[in-house]
Structure formats: C-alpha cells, structure tokens
Amino acid sequence: MKKKMAVIGFGFMGVVHAKNILLNETLELCAIIDNRKNIFDGIEKTGNSGSLDLPVERLKQVPVYKSLEECVAKDKPDAVSICVPLFMHYELAKKALTLDLDVLLEKPFCPEIEQCQELIDLANEKNKILMVAHCIRFAPAWEFLADCIKDRRYGRLKLLSTTRMGGEPTWGVWQDEKIKKTCGGSLLDMLIHDIDFVNSCLGNSDDIKINLKSDEYWELCFGYNNDNTKVSIKGGFLHRHSVFASEYAATFECGSIRFNSLQPGVIHIGTDSGPELVNISGDLYSNELNYFSNCIESRKKPEKCMPHDSMKTIEICQKIRNSAPQ
Ligand SMILES: NC(=O)c1ccc[n+]([C@@H]2O[C@H](COP(=O)([O-])OP(=O)(O)OC[C@H]3O[C@@H](n4cnc5c(N)ncnc54)[C@H](O)[C@@H]3O)[C@@H](O)[C@H]2O)c1
C-alpha cells in the first residue's frame, strides 16, 4: 500500500514537493496544509525549476487543510514534507514527530542548534525518519563531483571553487520585511547548500575564513590542512530578478571538472588526454523525494543526508555569521 504523505506549506518549494509526491509510485499525496487563503492563485508563476509542468488540475483534487492537527484527525498521513519559512521549522517538525509522522524538512534545519538536537532526539525516541532536504546532495552534477572527490579517479582534490548567486527572492515570505529577517539571509538560503555539500565530502574544516562580505554577498575560504585542500565558496543575493546560477570548478592532481547550472546536463572535464564531456540527467528534487520515500518504506535512516550533518551545517553557518564584519 502507498504511504500517505502531506505537504505543509504550499509555496515556492511546497508545489515542487507536492508535484514529486504525485509522481512517486510508492507515495500518495493525501493532503496539502497551508494557512493561506486561495493557495492555487498565481500557481502558474510559483516555484523554482522543479515546478515545471505542474499537474495543477490533479493538485486541485487533493484535500486542503489549514492545520496539521485537522489533517491528522481527518486523513492520517504517514509522513509530511515541511516547506514553511525557517522560523516555523522547529515547531512544525516537532508537532509532526510527536504525532508519529516521518518528516522531510526543507533546509535549513532550524535556527538554533538546541532545536536541531531536540528534533534528532525526538525522531530517535519515536523511531521516525527525519531528513533535512539538502537537495544538492541529490543533484546529479554534484553527486558526480562527490564521487570524484571520494574515489580519487583524478587524484586528490586540490581546489574546489563554487558559486551560487541569484536575485534576492521576491516571492512568499520574502515580501514580508518582518519574516524576511528570520530567514537567515543569503548565508542560510543559498550558501548553506555549498557549505553542507563541502562538509559532506570533506568533513570538518579547521580553517574557515571570510574573505569578503558585502551586504548579502559572501566569499568564504575553507582550508583542510590534513589534505592540503582549499575550498572557495562564493555567492549570495544579487539585485532582485537577476538570473540564478550555481557553478563549480574542481581541480584534482590529474584533471579538472567544471559545471554550471546555466548549461545543465553536461560536465566539462579536462585531463592530459584532452577535453571530455560527461552528460548527466535527473532532477535533484525528485531524486531527494525518492530517496526519502525509500527510507520510510525500508525504515532505514537517511544515511546519504543525516540530520546530524544538517545540524553541523547550521553550526558552521552560525560560526561564520558570528565572525562576520558587521
Ligand atoms: N531546497 C531549495 O532549493 C529551496 C528553495 C527555496 C526555498 N527552500 C526552503 O523551503 C522553505 C519554504 O520556502 P518557500 O520559498 O517555499 O516559502 P514560501 O513563502 O513561498 O511558502 C511558504 C508557504 O508556507 C505557508 N505557511 C506558513 N506558515 C504556515 C503554517 N504554520 N502552516 C501551514 N502553512 C504555512 C505559507 O502560507 C506559504 O504558502 C524554506 O525553509 C526555504 O529555506 C528551499
């Protein structure tokens, strides 16, 4: 029997999760929970790349509730995908775990380390799956890079440079000045993706520096002295409506690999044998959802994206924020 999954928060990311649940063969989208009126208004303009070809008519047939309690009382789900603003992550994830539901929680985990730890403990106590949706871990181009770092097919990683930039968000909560202040700025909205990725591949950096900070633009340097590897993470918010792009360039002992999201589907490799192109396919958000659905089906912890790592990422972001020039 299909597992019943509800989406809480039907905004920019919620529509992507809802669409992918509809497409997943082992899940049933049993409910949408949002406290906003008229959640389908303007839906054709909502969502990021993952919301292309939204099955709007099918989504409109899904029961809509104003609260999780109401949804659980009427249509008990097995799991929820929580896609609400950061300041609501802790409260809603705690509520869902307390109600014995498995939880996929959008990144960033929670604003405070203590909140992250409490949710991890609660998930363990309740024997529930808790995964923070760090989608880059499921993006084919970044999985390729992670594999190259791990299996050293081009030798040891010497330098990794990533960039992630786009216009400051203009949708949903970002239109509310008070809530916007609780979102953690570009560090927790954008750079957290690269910080989490780097942390997952290279572990603890003993040397993190801020080379430049200008408003919501950051240039960070992570050093790994045990391996003599350097990582540069650059990015943040550009002027509203500027195009989004993420990019990496990685130099290993025997080759370099490059990717840019503006040219999706291809990774450029340069070695002594000459240039080479590797074609990649697959959508990060559906990969992420499929991985989570396998975890809830098999009752296996999300080894590829453990909540403890997501908490570590929050800890690193806090250290960076605290040492940033005001
Ligand atoms: N992984 C990614 O690529 C990515 C991209 C963008 C946003 N996000 C994350 O997704 C989350 C949501 O961001 P967004 O851009 O979709 O926000 P949004 O403002 O577009 O949507 C949030 C939705 O949550 C609803 N909501 C708020 N409080 C609620 C409550 N108590 N109960 C039910 N519904 C509630 C709002 O009405 C709104 O529809 C954030 O954590 C953000 O960091 C992730």
Side-chain angles (χ1 to χ4, degrees), residues 69-83:
E69 288 87 342
E70 200 189 334
C71 167
V72 169
K74 293 205 177 128
D75 192 5
K76 191 173 178 350
D78 300 292
V80 284
S81 164
I82 302 181
C83 308

Side-chain angles (χ1 to χ4, degrees), residues 11-13 34-36 83-84 89 106-107 171-173 285:
F12 185 82
M13 272 319 291
D34 201 301
N35 57 10
R36 187 162 49 95
C83 308
V84 297
H89 280 196
E106 256 308 334
K107 51 57 61 176
W171 60 84
V173 294
Y285 300 112

Side-chain angles (χ1 to χ4, degrees), residues 3-277:
K3 296 272 185 203
K4 291 164 87 173
M5 189 160 183
V7 168
I8 313 181
F10 194 62
F12 185 82
M13 272 319 291
V15 296
V16 177
H17 286 251
K19 168 189 153 185
N20 287 329
I21 295 169
L22 277 181
L23 295 177
N24 184 290
E25 284 175 2
T26 64
L27 297 173
E28 174 198 334
L29 179 64
C30 68
I32 294 169
I33 302 158
D34 201 301
N35 57 10
R36 187 162 49 95
K37 279 190 196 150
N38 308 324
I39 57 167
F40 290 100
D41 283 1
I43 191 169
E44 61 291 340
K45 291 193 201 132
T46 316
N48 64 3
S49 59
S51 70
L52 291 173
D53 304 324
L54 272 188
V56 177
E57 290 313 312
R58 277 180 74 195
L59 287 169
K60 282 185 176 168
Q61 288 160 19
V62 176
V64 177
Y65 299 100
K66 285 263 183 281
S67 73
L68 179 57
E69 288 87 342
E70 200 189 334
C71 167
V72 169
K74 293 205 177 128
D75 192 5
K76 191 173 178 350
D78 300 292
V80 284
S81 164
I82 302 181
C83 308
V84 297
L86 175 62
F87 79 97
M88 290 298 299
H89 280 196
Y90 167 72
E91 187 184 321
L92 280 173
K94 185 173 174 182
K95 198 177 278 179
L97 289 168
T98 306
L99 289 165
D100 282 319
L101 308 179
D102 293 317
V103 172
L104 177 63
L105 173 63
E106 256 308 334
K107 51 57 61 176
F109 197 163
C110 291
E112 303 301 333
I113 298 297
E114 296 72 24
Q115 298 171 327
C116 302
Q117 187 63 59
E118 194 186 325
L119 294 182
I120 292 172
D121 292 344
L122 184 57
N124 286 338
E125 186 191 314
K126 291 274 192 179
N127 206 13
K128 292 291 142 192
I129 308 290
L130 169 64
M131 182 173 120
V132 180
H134 275 290
C135 55
I136 295 304
R137 292 191 184 214
F138 301 90
W142 294 79
E143 287 178 313
F144 181 86
L145 170 61
D147 288 345
C148 293
I149 294 173
K150 201 167 161 196
D151 65 24
R152 297 190 171 207
R153 72 190 76 165
Y154 302 111
R156 179 183 64 78
L157 176 69
K158 297 201 295 186
L159 172 72
L160 170 63
S161 169
T162 75
T163 61
R164 186 172 303 275
M165 295 179 214
E168 184 186 282
T170 51
W171 60 84
V173 294
W174 295 91
Q175 294 166 344
D176 180 322
E177 282 302 319
K178 223 168 116 196
I179 301 182
K180 184 172 138 179
K181 285 202 179 91
T182 66
C183 292
S186 64
L187 185 65
L188 284 190
D189 192 58
M190 298 265 257
L191 286 94
I192 192 167
H193 285 293
D194 305 86
I195 293 169
D196 177 73
F197 176 83
V198 164
N199 198 39
S200 74
C201 292
L202 301 172
N204 241 346
S205 164
D206 37 26
D207 180 19
I208 300 178
K209 288 193 185 73
I210 302 168
N211 286 343
L212 177 69
K213 179 178 185 299
S214 172
D215 295 331
E216 283 297 336
Y217 176 83
W218 299 77
E219 292 190 4
L220 308 171
C221 178
F222 285 42
Y224 297 85
N225 291 330
N226 55 343
D227 224 5
N228 203 17
T229 297
K230 292 269 182 246
V231 175
S232 155
I233 297 176
K234 298 198 275 284
F237 295 153
L238 304 176
H239 199 280
R240 286 166 168 236
H241 305 294
S242 300
V243 68
F244 169 82
S246 65
E247 183 181 13
Y248 66 69
T251 286
F252 299 83
E253 287 167 307
C254 326
S256 291
I257 66 176
R258 300 190 68 182
F259 169 76
N260 188 313
S261 63
L262 293 177
Q263 194 191 11
V266 62
I267 293 169
H268 294 261
I269 301 175
T271 63
D272 290 342
S273 317
E276 188 193 337
L277 296 183

Side-chain angles (χ1 to χ4, degrees), residues 109 132 134 137 196 305-314:
F109 197 163
V132 180
H134 275 290
R137 292 191 184 214
D196 177 73
C305 191
M306 289 293 272
H308 189 269
D309 292 352
S310 310
M311 178 169 76
K312 179 76 198 167
T313 300
I314 293 287

